[in-house]
């Protein structure tokens, strides 16, 4: 028989310095349509519990999908065993100070209607099928795909130090993609990138994204790309649209500033960081135009939450101000280990993974330049839109990005479309070439459910808002 | 978790649920489970340690010309699983007719019966930190140990049954240089079904010796074209990106592969390059989620000639081809690049002047339709001049096509291969691995 969450801690029958329990329940739907047909829509019900034990300075964890008394008790014993066998070799001595004590029963979002088997899902799928048929209507288009991922999640957290938190979320990720071919040229265009329109909110919001107006633009773009010249090569001015700024922020600000990465935890897998503990407060990460915020409270942004997964209350913090690096992205464990101030970002992908430092909502604050002013300031350059490729070295320094579409700018005017635009650079010099930052009118907020990191590996949801930005003198190049 | 009990209960539950089906209904039940221990190490110490138990049952339900799948937990207890399964089938029965028609839906067939069970001798859970760390001679080991039971199963309403279970471990690690603790490391991976403490300690000792090469200043090399030797670890990364949609029949048809513009049956790579699926190592189940059995060996590229794509039954139906039992993504599951003729002693001499690269990092397509990729060198990489190692280098970015790496730039593969078991654990602990040689490649473009 299933143990009610509020009884779990009482029934564990282990003695430890501290115990925490995190239960996660999810219902999810992946609705998919391709070329006017349903493409195997899938659903999932998932539930499990993670028990975390602190003993002799070491956290041990054990997780199970099975919520009966016997399984829960056995799992707790495993967690205690893990802590005990790990303690003699621990990398840091943790205490209850790394596990705060808060109570919260309401959540930012009202609990929504149960997702699975509702009438809404077939209705949404029908809409996706219709739109995929609409996208496919032009002959050069060889593939048209429309998708929506929907996840409802309830997360409950309790601890022996008195934490008691319930949070409810609804995550929605719509996506649209077309591929077209003409002769030897094949081009793909999406709606602002791979699931870039990820948001938290209601299903009604899908209509603002998955619609014919956006479909018309995606089709027009891909057909234009088929006849476009390749992007030229050279050191040019580079204007990045918000749907490419998203990846630039993610890879060259977000990840390098994760404090657990700076402490070396990720060196075997995702890599390290060029940032050192001593850089905070001193490193000029970018030009004075650069202001970056960690903001877990933005309504609808994909990584908005009230508490992180060890129960720390999440609040906005300035990370970079006028180009100066102020604060890292690390939760209470990393803050303790490094001595640095951080943010509430210890998060886990699900009940079956331990919490680690994750980027969260990381946004470039808007500046004061209009779109016209930014384009007008370019003598010879390229505007690049929508990320399609990303690569960076294991210290987060040398990067290369590719985009779906480019526009040549000459003497302040867009003159034509170019295909296969790419650029490369090094993180700190690049951000110090940030010359103009768009105003709030140019700002867009995007997200993704696919930020990967950790051992065992985990996918995290992140959000990135950014305006249009101008960078001077960047190495730009085209395709083969 | 008792795996034998899981197998037995799965068969019982599947039989009962299949008996509930109406005449126009079909069902495939796919099971995936693990009982894993994880240990994460940083600075030769324990960072995080824990266990995960998880079993997921996927019900693939077809009614008429419509289908859907539903994942639910599986408790290996018929008293819980049967009512839950019955309830979910009722819900699917109501939902599926309201979904769109799926013209490429494949009805279950009986693809036969298979039962593969690998027993392992793993470290007892309570001994793992001690075995990995107590007598460690390295001061900055960073690594990830994952071990335990893994199983997959597939039963369908046409009568087929497949079961695969194994007990495996994988320890993926990097030993970092004292002089360059962020960047320069010797990388290694041990894995299999039987833990060998002596082998592990020997590997670490050997890595420690190799670290001496890294405890020197890192050279900042200019960009340009270089001859390169790619050790098996680096070739493994190239194979990883080649496996990403390139050989998938559906990706090729949709214009999402760099082979989309190539001619099937023609030589598109060097005649020295042969790639095949090789399930004989037993790392992974041969059946896919439809229950189709892949052949033990399947040539994909033979002496540079493109001879097969990876096709599952769904793609076969859509594109009127024959299926070869590929998985749902149509990615290679147990690929092998065949060896060449270059002996270990010949490597430096034949490289002459160039770069000795042990690892690559963060590869991605810079121009996918034309097969161009970019990525970074990582960990222990060296400048070699006239056959002698000069010293370690700072990371360099390359931008080059796969048709160059495995085509006109390829001079030879080594006569030996290495096994690289799958270390990945996104969503769940993965099965599989790759078998790769080292490669000598001329004229590779480095850009940053």
């Amino acid at each position: 028989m299933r143990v009610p969450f509020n009884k779990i801690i009482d029934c564990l029958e282990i003695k430890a310095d501290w115990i925490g329990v995190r239960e996660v329940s999810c219902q999810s739907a992946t609705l998919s349509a391709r070329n006017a047909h349903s493409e195997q829509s899938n659903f999932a019900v998932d539930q499990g519990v993670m028990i975390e034990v602190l003993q002799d300075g070491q956290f041990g964890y054990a997780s199970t999908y099975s919520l009966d008394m016997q399984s829960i008790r056995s799992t707790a014993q495993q967690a205690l065993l893990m802590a005990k066998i790990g303690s003699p070799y621990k990398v840091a001595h943790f205490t209850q100070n790394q596990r705060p004590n808060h109570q919260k029963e309401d959540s930012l979002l009202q609990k929504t209607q149960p997702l699975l088997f509702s009438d809404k899902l077939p209705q949404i799928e029908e809409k996706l099928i219709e739109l995929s048929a609409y996208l496919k209507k032009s002959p050069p288009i060889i593939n048209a795909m429309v998708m929506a991922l929907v996840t409802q999640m309830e997360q409950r957290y309790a601890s022996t130090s008195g934490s008691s938190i319930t949070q409810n979320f609804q995550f929605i990720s719509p996506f649209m993609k077309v591929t077209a071919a003409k002769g030897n040229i094949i081009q793909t265009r999406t709606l602002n990138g791979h699931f870039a329109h990820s948001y938290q909110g209601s299903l009604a919001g899908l209509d603002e994204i998955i619609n014919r107006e956006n479909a018309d633009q995606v089709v027009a773009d891909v057909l234009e790309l088929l006849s476009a010249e390749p992007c030229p090569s050279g050191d040019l001015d580079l204007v990045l649209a918000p749907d490419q700024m998203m990846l630039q922020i993610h890879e060259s600000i977000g990840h390098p500033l994760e404090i657990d990465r700076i402490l070396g935890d990720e060196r075997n897998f995702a890599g390290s960081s060029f940032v050192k503990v001593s850089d905070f407060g001193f490193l000029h990460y970018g030009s004075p135009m650069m202001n970056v915020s960690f903001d877990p409270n933005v309504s609808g942004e994909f990584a908005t939450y009230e508490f992180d997964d060890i129960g720390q209350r999440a609040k906005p913090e300035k990370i970079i101000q006028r180009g100066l690096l102020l604060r890292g992205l690390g939760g209470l464990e990393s803050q303790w280990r490094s001595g640095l101030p951080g943010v509430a970002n210890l998060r886990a992908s699900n009940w079956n993974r331990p919490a680690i430092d994750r980027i969260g909502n990381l946004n470039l604050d808007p500046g004061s330049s209009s779109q016209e002013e930014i384009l007008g300031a370019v003598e010879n350059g390229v505007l690049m839109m929508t990320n399609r490729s990303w690569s960076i070295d294991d210290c987060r320094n040398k990067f290369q990005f590719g985009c779906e579409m480019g526009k040549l700018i000459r003497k302040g005017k867009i003159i034509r479309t170019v295909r296969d635009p790419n650029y490369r650079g090094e993180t700190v010099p690049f951000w110090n070439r940030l010359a103009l930052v768009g105003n709030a009118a140019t700002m867009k907020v995007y997200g993704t459910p696919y930020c990967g990191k950790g051992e065992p590996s985990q996918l995290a949801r992140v959000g990135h808002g950014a305006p249009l930005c101008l960078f001077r003198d960047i190495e730009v190049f085209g395709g083969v | 978790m008792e795996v034998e009990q899981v197998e037995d209960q799965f068969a019982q539950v599947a039989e009962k649920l299949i008996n509930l089906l109406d005449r126009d209904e079909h069902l495939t039940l796919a099971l995936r489970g693990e009982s894993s221990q994880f240990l994460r190490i940083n600075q030769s110490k324990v960072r995080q340690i824990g266990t995960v138990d998880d079993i997921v049952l996927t019900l693939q339900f077809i009614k008429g010309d419509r289908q859907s799948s539903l994942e639910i937990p599986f408790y290996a207890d018929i008293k819980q699983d049967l009512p839950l399964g019955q309830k979910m089938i009722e819900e699917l029965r109501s939902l599926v007719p309201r979904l769109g028609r799926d013209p490429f839906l494949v009805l279950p067939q009986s693809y036969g019966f298979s039962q593969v069970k690998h027993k392992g001798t793993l470290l007892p859970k309570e001994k793992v930190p001690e075995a990995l760390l107590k007598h460690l001679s390295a001061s900055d080991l960073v690594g990830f140990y994952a071990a335990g039971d893994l199983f997959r199963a597939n039963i369908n309403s046409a009568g087929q049954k497949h079961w695969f279970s194994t007990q495996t471990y994988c320890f993926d690690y990097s030993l970092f240089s004292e002089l360059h603790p962020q960047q320069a490391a010797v990388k290694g991976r041990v894995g299999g079904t039987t833990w060998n403490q002596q082998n592990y300690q020997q590997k670490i000792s050997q890595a420690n010796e190799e670290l001496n090469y890294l405890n020197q200043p890192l050279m900042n090399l200019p960009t340009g074209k270089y001859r390169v030797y790619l050790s098996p670890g680096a070739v493994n990364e190239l194979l990883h990106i080649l496996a990403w949609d390139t050989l998938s029949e559906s990706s090729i048809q949709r214009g999402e592969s760099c082979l989309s513009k190539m001619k099937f049956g023609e030589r598109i790579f060097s005649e020295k390059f042969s790639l095949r699926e090789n399930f004989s190592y037993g790392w992974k189940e041969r059946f896919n989620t439809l229950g189709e059995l892949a052949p033990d060996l399947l040539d994909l590229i033979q002496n540079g000639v493109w001879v097969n794509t990876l096709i599952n039954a769904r793609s076969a139906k859509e594109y009127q081809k024959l299926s070869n039992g590929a998985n749902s993504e149509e990615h290679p599951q147990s690929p092998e690049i065949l060896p060449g003729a270059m002996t270990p002693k010949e490597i430096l001499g034949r490289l002459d002047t160039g770069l000795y690269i042990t690892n690559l990092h963060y590869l991605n397509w810079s121009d996918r339709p034309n097969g161009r990729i970019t990525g970074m060198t990582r960990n222990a990489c060296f400048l070699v001049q006239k056959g002698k190692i000069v010293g370690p280098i700072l990371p360099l970015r390359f931008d080059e096509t796969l048709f160059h790496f495995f085509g006109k730039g390829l001079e030879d593969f080594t006569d030996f291969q290495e096994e690289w078991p799958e270390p990945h654990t996104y969503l769940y602990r993965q099965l599989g691995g790759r078998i790769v040689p080292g490669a000598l490649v001329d004229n590779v473009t480095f850009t940053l």
Side-chain angles (χ1 to χ4, degrees), chain A residues 275-286:
Chain A
V275 176
K276 302 182 289 299
V277 169
S278 55
D279 285 335
F280 289 89
F282 298 99
L283 176 63
H284 288 277
Y285 207 99

Side-chain angles (χ1 to χ4, degrees), chain B residues 5-6 8-17 74-86:
Chain B
Q5 183 188 332
V6 175
D8 174 65
Q9 291 291 291
F10 177 56
Q12 287 190 41
V13 169
E15 185 183 348
K16 292 199 183 308
L17 290 180
F74 184 76
Y75 299 102
D77 173 9
I78 198 163
K79 293 197 290 293
Q80 294 187 73
D81 293 314
L82 191 53
L84 178 60
Q86 284 168 334

Side-chain angles (χ1 to χ4, degrees), chain A residues 21-94:
Chain A
V21 179
R22 176 164 51 87
E23 183 183 281
V24 183
S25 309
C26 284
Q27 290 190 6
S28 56
T30 302
L31 302 168
S32 185
R34 186 170 65 85
N35 299 342
H37 300 296
S38 170
E39 175 96 335
Q40 295 193 111
S41 293
N42 302 318
F43 307 94
V45 176
D46 178 52
Q47 189 169 24
V49 75
M50 159 79 68
I51 297 176
E52 203 185 22
V53 166
L54 175 66
Q55 185 64 32
D56 301 328
Q58 175 70 44
F59 286 108
Y61 67 86
S63 52
T64 180
Y65 68 103
S66 185
L67 303 182
D68 61 275
M69 183 82 78
Q70 187 183 351
S71 299
I72 295 280
R73 282 185 174 151
S74 152
T75 300
Q77 283 160 4
Q78 280 289 298
L80 179 58
L81 173 65
M82 292 299 112
K84 282 181 171 172
I85 63 175
S87 178
Y89 307 95
K90 55 185 175 284
V91 76
H93 186 102
F94 293 116

Side-chain angles (χ1 to χ4, degrees), chain B residues 254-271:
Chain B
R254 296 174 204 184
E256 292 165 0
S257 162
C258 60
L259 301 192
S260 295
K261 299 197 289 186
M262 295 290 163
K263 284 213 174 86
F264 180 75
E266 294 209 343
R267 175 158 287 127
I268 57 172
F269 292 110
S270 161
E271 63 183 12

Side-chain angles (χ1 to χ4, degrees), chain A residues 171 263 347:
Chain A
F171 303 108
L263 292 168
R347 292 162 65 219

Side-chain angles (χ1 to χ4, degrees), chain B residues 16-51:
Chain B
K16 292 199 183 308
L17 290 180
I18 286 167
N19 286 341
L20 296 174
L21 299 175
D22 292 338
R23 193 180 283 271
D24 65 338
E25 294 174 347
H26 308 268
L27 186 66
T28 300
L29 300 97
L31 196 73
R32 179 189 83 233
E34 66 180 289
S35 179
S36 300
Q37 181 183 20
F38 298 126
L39 170 59
R40 189 175 195 195
I41 293 167
N42 183 18
Q43 296 173 315
S44 301
K45 294 189 168 47
V46 171
R47 170 64 187 100
Q48 288 177 315
I49 181 168
T51 64

